[in-house]
């Protein structure tokens, strides 16, 4: 597991400052080698770690914590048995470092445990560990731990098909990595982001990022990383139906792993080649490859094993050998269920239903198709256009508000320290002169701190493109309006609207024109609302209007006026052939206690407006 050892780079960085109580140049040198991954292979890394352990003092707590965190990532984890032992090791270390919480060592061990659990098929437990670690990272006000936790959770959710939350995690991680100058991890995260865009149905965007990363890795002679991104490029090309080009790159990956003498990764690349061949209707050629690798790929490699069985089932279905196809789909479903891959599990169910139908077993086909349909509808709900419904329904506005407070906490503590320092500098007349100088410096620093604090608060609450309230601020204000409405017994209504066919605008005229359309939609909306109303951008092209004190009928009238004004606006000033409309859903507070169910109603109304021909207003009870 290459990524496991790359993870050491990050965890080494988070300890470097805190290990200064002991003078141990050799230990620090070894630590830096691991920090920058300056070892050629796992054996050299283990040797360095062993030497590090032998030369640090037993009471050097900080370096002992360094060792514990690094050792967690060096635990063998190639087989199911080793993975379970790795999980047990991480859990034991968590018990030993259970105080204080939160702490850096506890948070890092929590991430380590979650990492092993996801590969051991313990998806729910892994997600729980990632969420706890992210929460503690925010409490520690540690941007690196926040970024790393978001990166790991985002990668896992992306694989499972929860693209909306995955994209949010990965985009936040990307911003943090870039802001704190962690270029290596920014590239790693960008690779995950590109993969998520590909799975999300946007292989063009994914390919753009991936080719850029491949060039950077090749320039830096990072062979493993270049090979990994080469494989991801192959998957994106396959999504674009460029199967020959995809297979050429996958063959390069086969050659690479053959040089590394890793037969499982060789088999994995060959399985992907076979998948492309099946799409090219080269069934016999694909089947020969799959039958050759079948003895190599054992069930412990559940992801690879799952795709191998899925492709074998597809091949035998094409050859009308239905009994074999059924058998392989059953195994594939178990594999994908074990690692939480809903997308591929659904694909396997669909194939199984088709196979039963081809065999004339329509009762069993209907039973399997019903299960497939249930799962497919659930997955569709999660991944429909911009996937905002599910994200809103689960979004904890109080948590987001507390996250904003935590991001400002550090500057407040610094201001308090400055006030304490000022009170202690008044002992002698000579020192008074120094105090005066210090006060000037402190005043300038405090002024800059206030300016930065104001800037950070504005950035935290404002959408950068449109200048409207962002999703976090909009949801926070909506929660306050709900509380006020409950207390005063006054109405509160919401308009949820988004731009119709906005993807076509981006595809036809480009993202610059798309951004101008969003800015104009924001301006037109604000111009129609009262000063007491709140207009927020809560998604790509989705907006939310909060109308405190407005009844349902009035809200519908306002929404209709908004839809009509936008439809009648002369869009030719932005682009000659452009005509933009919006669809809107209106909902009014009844007995809802929180924001989430109200948002779900608004989403249903918006969904109905979309399916009623767009450029209209619908309501929800």
């Amino acid at each position: 597991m290459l990524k496991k050892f790359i993870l050491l780079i990050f965890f080494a960085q988070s300890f470097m400052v805190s290990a200064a109580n002991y003078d141990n140049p050799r230990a620090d040198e070894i630590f830096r080698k691991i920090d920058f991954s300056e070892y050629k292979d796992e054996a050299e890394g283990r040797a360095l770690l062993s030497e590090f352990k032998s030369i640090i003092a037993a009471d050097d707590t900080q370096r002992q914590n360094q060792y514990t965190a690094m050792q967690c990532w060096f635990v063998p984890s190639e087989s199911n048995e080793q993975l379970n032992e790795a999980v047990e090791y991480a859990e034991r270390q968590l018990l030993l470092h259970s105080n204080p919480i939160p702490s850096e060592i506890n948070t890092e061990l929590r991430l380590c445990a979650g990492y092993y659990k996801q590969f051991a098929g313990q998806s729910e437990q892994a997600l729980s560990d990632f969420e706890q670690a992210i929460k503690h990272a925010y409490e520690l006000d540690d941007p690196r731990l926040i970024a790393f936790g978001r990166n790991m959770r985002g990668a896992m959710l992306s694989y499972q098909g929860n693209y909306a939350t995955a994209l949010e995690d990965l985009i936040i991680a990307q911003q943090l990595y870039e802001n704190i100058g962690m270029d290596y991890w920014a590239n790693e995260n960008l690779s995950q982001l590109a993969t998520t865009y590909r799975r999300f149905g946007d292989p063009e965007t994914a390919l753009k990022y991936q080719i850029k990363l491949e060039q950077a890795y090749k320039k830096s002679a990072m062979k493993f990383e270049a090979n990994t991104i080469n494989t991801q490029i192959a998957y994106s090309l396959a999504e674009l139906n460029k199967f020959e080009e995809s297979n050429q790159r996958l063959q390069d990956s086969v050659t690479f792993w053959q040089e590394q003498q890793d037969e499982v990764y060789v088999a994995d690349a060959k399985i992907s080649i076979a998948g492309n061949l099946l799409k090219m209707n080269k069934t016999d050629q694909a089947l020969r490859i799959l039958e050759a690798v079948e003895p190599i790929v054992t069930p412990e490699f559940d992801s690879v094993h799952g795709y191998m069985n899925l492709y074998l089932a597809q091949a035998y279905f094409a050859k009308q050998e239905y009994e074999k196809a059924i058998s392989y789909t059953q195994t594939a479903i178990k594999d994908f269920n074990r690692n939480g891959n809903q997308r591929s599990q659904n694909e396997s169910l669909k194939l199984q239903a088709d196979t039963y139908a081809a065999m004339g077993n329509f009762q069993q086909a209907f039973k399997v198709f019903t299960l497939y349909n249930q799962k497919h509808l659930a997955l569709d709900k999660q991944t429909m256009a911009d996937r905002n419904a599910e994200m809103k329904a689960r979004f904890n506005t109080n948590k987001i508000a507390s996250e904003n407070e935590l991001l400002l906490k550090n500057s407040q503590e610094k201001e308090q320290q400055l006030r304490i320092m000022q009170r202690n500098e008044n002992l002698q007349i000579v020192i008074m002169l120094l105090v005066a100088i210090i006060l000037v410096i402190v005043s300038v620093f405090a002024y800059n701190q206030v300016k930065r604090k104001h800037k950070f608060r504005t950035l935290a609450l404002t959408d950068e493109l449109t200048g409207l309230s962002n999703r976090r601020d909009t949801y926070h204000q909506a929660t306050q309006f709900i509380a006020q409405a409950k207390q005063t017994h006054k109405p509160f209504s919401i308009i949820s609207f988004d731009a119709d066919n906005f993807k076509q605008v981006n595809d036809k005229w480009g993202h610059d024109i798309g951004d101008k359309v969003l800015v104009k939609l924001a301006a037109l909306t604000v111009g129609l609302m009262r000063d007491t109303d709140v207009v927020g951008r809560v998604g790509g092209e989705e907006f939310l209007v909060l109308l405190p004190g407005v009844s349902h009928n009035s809200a519908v009238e306002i929404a209709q006026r908004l839809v009509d004004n936008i439809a009648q606006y002369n869009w030719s000033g932005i682009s000659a052939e452009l005509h933009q409309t919006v669809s809107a859903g209106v909902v009014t507070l009844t007995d809802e206690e929180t924001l989430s169910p109200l948002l779900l109603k608004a989403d249903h109304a918006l969904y109905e407006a979309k399916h009623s021909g767009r450029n209209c207003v619908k309501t929800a009870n």
Side-chain angles (χ1 to χ4, degrees), residues 1 4-5 42 46 72-84 86-87 115-116 119 300-301:
M1 293 184 180
K4 181 178 71 172
F5 300 105
E42 180 183 346
R46 290 185 181 279
C72 186
W73 296 98
F74 270 108
V75 174
S77 56
E78 301 304 319
S79 64
N80 280 346
E81 182 179 356
Q82 289 179 338
L83 274 170
N84 291 331
V87 171
Y115 178 80
Y116 288 130
F119 290 106
E300 65 188 272
F301 305 103

Side-chain angles (χ1 to χ4, degrees), residues 6-19 31-37 66 69-70 104 108 142-145 147-148 177 180-186:
I6 299 175
L7 290 170
L8 290 166
I9 299 172
F10 167 75
F11 289 118
Q13 287 179 331
S14 62
F15 281 111
M16 287 190 70
V17 175
S18 63
F31 193 70
R32 281 191 295 273
K33 282 182 176 291
I34 298 177
D35 179 14
F36 293 100
S37 195
Q66 291 177 13
M70 290 187 293
E104 288 185 12
E108 292 167 6
D142 191 324
R144 287 177 174 173
L145 282 173
F148 213 71
Y177 283 141
I180 59 183
M182 297 183 70
D183 294 338
Y184 181 89
W185 283 108

